[in-house]
Amino acid sequence: NTATVAGTITDPNAANNSATSTTTISLVTDLSVAASSAPAAVAPGAPFVHTATVTNLGPSDSTGSTLTLELPAGAVASTVTPGACVTAGATVTCTVGPLGLGATFTATVEMTAATTGTYTTTATVAGTEADTVPANDTATASTAIGQVVATPSPVNMRVPIFSPGGA
């Protein structure tokens, strides 16, 4: 912005009749990532899916970001979607691209694991703009392989009924 003054009287110092000020406006975003797994437990060799979703919480549009998924050791990725994601070893890197305010990007990885244990994927998002809440830039999803997760069934919860007198 430039401001200039002029008058009807001759100014003895015309060099100070104009001033310029420059303001730099920087975009800032709050990109967050959430991770989930389905199912929570499977048998060895059975498929399971870990999903990561990036959301732009604003206040500005994101001009670009990258989602990185660190896959668990011992897991074998069979399918990675969408095509914006590339797998290199145990790392999946997704080029998210621009995200408007409230927009999301989701990546899924279908995997199998042959040995028992808990398999955890770590998802991290990094944007081009400064992030106002870096605490929500990382999330994890876990699946138990070969571990029994007990879920009570009402059918198996029969309670014997005793009557006085032994009948």
Side-chain angles (χ1 to χ4, degrees):
N1 294 331
T2 301
T4 305
V5 296
T8 57
I9 301 174
T10 304
D11 188 344
N13 184 3
N16 67 1
N17 290 354
S18 180
T20 300
S21 175
T22 303
T23 302
T24 302
I25 299 172
S26 298
L27 298 175
V28 293
T29 61
D30 175 15
L31 296 177
S32 71
V33 64
S36 62
S37 61
V42 295
F48 59 97
V49 175
H50 285 181
T51 301
T53 301
V54 175
T55 303
N56 180 5
L57 301 175
S60 302
D61 290 349
S62 168
T63 60
S65 59
T66 301
L67 173 64
T68 304
L69 303 169
E70 293 298 331
L71 304 180
V76 177
S78 57
T79 305
V80 178
T81 56
C85 300
V86 176
T87 305
T91 303
V92 175
T93 304
C94 304
T95 303
V96 176
L99 281 179
L101 176 61
T104 61
F105 173 90
T106 300
T108 60
V109 181
E110 184 175 314
M111 297 175 269
T112 58
T115 57
T116 61
T118 300
Y119 288 77
T120 301
T121 296
T122 301
T124 306
V125 64
T128 305
E129 291 76 29
D131 193 314
T132 58
V133 185
N136 63 8
D137 292 352
T138 301
T140 59
S142 297
T143 298
I145 306 298
Q147 300 170 19
V148 176
V149 176
T151 303
S153 169
V155 174
N156 296 327
M157 296 178 68
R158 296 183 185 142
V159 177
I161 299 174
F162 296 99
S163 61

